[in-house]
Amino acid sequence: MTEIVFTLALTERFDTLMKSSDWRFQTLEQLRKDMRMSGVSLDDMAEVSNPEDPISFIAEIIHEVKDNKPLWDSLNYRVDLPIQLHLDSLNDEELARLYLLRSFQKVWLRQQFSSTSAKDDRDKTRKHLKP
């Protein structure tokens, strides 16, 4: 069996950046988007009451969704959790942290690749030309 372990460096980076309100907001928005796209209705759930610690809000959603196998599978697919993980062996708080970490990775990757210039943008002198 392949063991899935998040590197210490990634976990430390996550812990550091999640102290920033901007990173927390972007990460939570990514997770909310993934939840909505998987079919989870967030309209019935209260908004995050304490943005400093969203774990309890996410754990509450996880607790509600776990009993609906198709919705549960859809959510885990949308969040893009590795299939090698034994999700049933994790409690709701551990799953919530895992969901946040995965959403953080998506936000971090998007920022890393959006800040680099595209291959087509190397020659700025031709930018005024229409395709």
Side-chain angles (χ1 to χ4, degrees):
M1 176 175 87
T2 305
E3 185 176 331
I4 302 297
V5 178
F6 292 105
T7 65
L8 181 59
L10 174 65
T11 305
E12 287 175 351
R13 189 82 172 139
F14 170 75
D15 289 337
T16 300
L17 289 175
M18 286 299 284
K19 291 177 184 171
S20 157
S21 61
D22 185 48
W23 276 96
R24 275 192 313 276
F25 177 78
Q26 289 182 56
T27 299
L28 286 170
E29 283 304 305
Q30 176 65 49
L31 183 54
R32 284 185 181 118
K33 175 184 164 192
D34 287 341
M35 287 178 167
R36 281 188 210 97
M37 291 181 76
S38 69
V40 175
S41 174
L42 296 178
D43 297 335
D44 300 337
M45 304 284 184
E47 286 298 317
V48 176
S49 57
N50 182 2
E52 300 295 321
D53 183 26
I55 299 291
S56 59
F57 172 73
I58 298 165
E60 178 184 332
I61 292 171
I62 289 169
H63 182 74
E64 295 291 323
V65 172
K66 269 184 171 179
D67 294 334
N68 182 335
K69 175 91 169 111
L71 191 57
W72 177 241
D73 289 344
S74 178
L75 177 59
N76 291 323
Y77 176 79
R78 176 57 64 183
V79 173
D80 195 22
L81 296 181
I83 59 172
Q84 294 87 351
L85 289 176
H86 297 287
L87 300 178
D88 295 335
S89 66
L90 302 174
N91 67 39
D92 294 347
E93 288 77 22
E94 291 168 329
L95 283 168
R97 182 163 171 82
L98 184 60
Y99 278 34
L100 280 174
L101 180 60
R102 186 63 190 110
S103 298
F104 167 81
Q105 287 176 316
K106 291 178 182 182
V107 171
W108 187 85
L109 285 170
R110 186 170 42 246
Q111 286 197 0
Q112 292 301 306
F113 288 104
S114 69
S115 65
T116 61
S117 62
K119 292 178 186 177
D120 295 339
D121 290 341
R122 286 186 187 161
D123 185 5
K124 304 248 186 245
T125 60
R126 306 178 95 205
K127 205 171 191 177
H128 66 283
L129 300 176
K130 292 184 179 180

